[in-house]
Amino acid sequence: MQTAINLCKSGDSIKSTAKKYGLAYATLYRHVKTGIAASKLGRFHPVFTENQEIELVTYLKDMDSVFFGLTRDEFKNLAFIYAKKNNLNYPNNWDKYKKAGDDWLSSFLSRHDQISLRTPEATSVARAKGFNRHEVGRFYENLEALTEKYNIDASSLYNMDETGISTTTNKPPKVLSAKGKKQVGIIASAERGQLTTVIGCCNAAGSFLPPFLIFARKKMQLRLLDGAPPGTQGTCTPNGWTSGEVFLDWMHFFVEHVRPTPEKKILLLLDNHESHKYYPALDYASKNNVVILSLAPHTTHKMQPMDVAVYGPLKTFFEREVNFFQKSHPGRIINQYDVAKLLSPAFLKSAVTQNAVHGFERPGIWPVNKYAFGEEDYEPAAVIAGTSNMNIGTESTYALETIDIPRPFAETSSTPSPSLLQEQILSNSVDPLSEIFPSRNRTPS
């Protein structure tokens, strides 16, 4: 269409051009007259230009990258402010509700299929702040120094971590049900299950130790381990949680399986849990040729190999086993004596070489790669610390809202961009954006 329009404007006949390109004469005549090649759907006009929508998409991606993703209502409110500030022609009901309509949002998402509505995983401020370049860089420096000093290879680099499983389902699998049914149920063993802690350990070469189980009870009985993966050991604590004494027991279990020597020391990666600072356990490890390296605080969600690639599949498979058990034994309540039997197939499916190797490789632990994480991974910490180029804070006088994104995106258009929108709102009114963009600097009123 654009080529035909250009030919007509250069002097060619509209009739001959329309025939040449297989276009209707009236259609080509209308496009030549308006100078617009894009088709128009009847009386409906797009609110934003293509470049403006690209700016909105870029803004959504930038906010999501720093864990401040916008909800449907927040984005519709932003679209309304953007359209109003740019004096665009938008539907009248946008003024009534102070936000864009659902039909506009649906059309926007269909035009930009790289954007979709997702359920985010909650990330604490401590984790967002903790995963910063300085702390992560220090860990890589220590890792490189220790691997070089003790000649560590993939078979002598281990990670140990704990996770909890329950005797009742926490996240039931999806089931087929009738459309329109308001509530879909599934039988669970109990309203609240009993916690059992699993201590898992693997190395960068893909080898796993048998699991070590911690049951919530006072006295350990061997039949609690009936049906467990071969080599599994267990103990008990009053609440099923780990402790310094349990960590010492596990360290004996670890040394017995790995058998480190002065010539071939073992490097063990741990998180900063209080139980891992138990002096007798640390002393025992040191005397038995186990070198311990702690991960940076609040970084385990991205850097701990067991968290990255093993425990996710383990819990998924365990939930399936629990669900299958409930269907096979109607009315029976799962108790602690069933846990090991249910864990065994789940552990054997998830404790595979591929998962372990991927768990060490993805965060750059083995092979050691201090460039495994890019700027986008450190951006949330920089935003919270106020050192980022991406300014998503607000400066407020009588609740004046400001939304900023990096200047390169702001300069792509001569009209006010989403990154520079300002809207005056009375202090007694509530704007959904004000909750997601807390003000860093507020001038006294």
Side-chain angles (χ1 to χ4, degrees), residues 187-189 325-326 329-335 337-338 341:
I187 293 296
S189 177
F325 182 91
Q326 293 290 172
H329 304 83
R332 179 172 165 181
I333 296 176
I334 298 175
N335 58 40
Y337 296 98
D338 300 313
K341 292 191 289 287

Side-chain angles (χ1 to χ4, degrees), residues 100-273:
D102 289 329
D103 53 348
W104 175 85
L105 180 59
S106 298
S107 298
F108 178 86
L109 294 176
S110 66
R111 290 191 295 273
H112 304 281
D113 55 5
Q114 70 270 39
I115 301 295
S116 63
L117 194 64
R118 303 282 299 275
T119 301
E121 181 179 348
T123 303
S124 67
V125 173
R127 282 192 168 186
K129 290 173 63 178
F131 197 84
N132 60 75
R133 182 178 294 280
H134 176 69
E135 293 295 334
V136 174
R138 283 181 57 194
F139 167 76
Y140 283 121
E141 290 175 2
N142 293 333
L143 178 63
E144 288 179 331
L146 291 175
T147 53
E148 183 177 349
K149 179 178 180 180
Y150 298 109
N151 195 25
I152 299 296
D153 57 18
S155 63
S156 54
L157 177 58
Y158 283 81
N159 172 232
M160 167 269 203
D161 189 28
E162 302 92 350
T163 191
I165 57 176
S166 176
T167 54
T168 188
T169 181
N170 293 316
K171 189 178 180 181
K174 291 185 178 181
V175 297
L176 297 173
S177 182
K179 285 187 177 181
K181 189 176 180 181
K182 293 184 177 180
Q183 185 174 3
V184 179
I186 191 170
I187 293 296
S189 177
E191 293 293 335
R192 295 183 62 184
Q194 289 181 298
L195 173 71
T196 300
T197 297
V198 179
I199 302 181
C201 182
C202 67
N203 66 16
S207 299
F208 282 82
L209 266 67
F212 192 93
L213 306 182
I214 307 172
F215 296 93
R217 55 188 293 128
K218 292 185 177 180
K219 186 177 180 181
M220 181 65 189
Q221 296 187 13
L222 290 179
R223 67 191 184 102
L224 286 167
L225 300 179
D226 288 350
T232 300
Q233 291 190 20
T235 187
C236 296
T237 61
N239 51 18
W241 298 347
T242 188
S243 64
E245 291 80 5
V246 170
F247 180 51
L248 177 59
D249 291 341
W250 180 86
M251 189 60 71
H252 285 274
F253 173 74
F254 176 74
V255 170
E256 180 183 345
H257 280 80
V258 177
R259 299 186 180 279
T261 64
E263 294 76 25
K264 189 173 177 61
K265 293 182 180 289
I266 296 297
L267 179 57
L268 179 62
L269 304 181
L270 301 173
D271 59 29
N272 288 270
H273 192 271

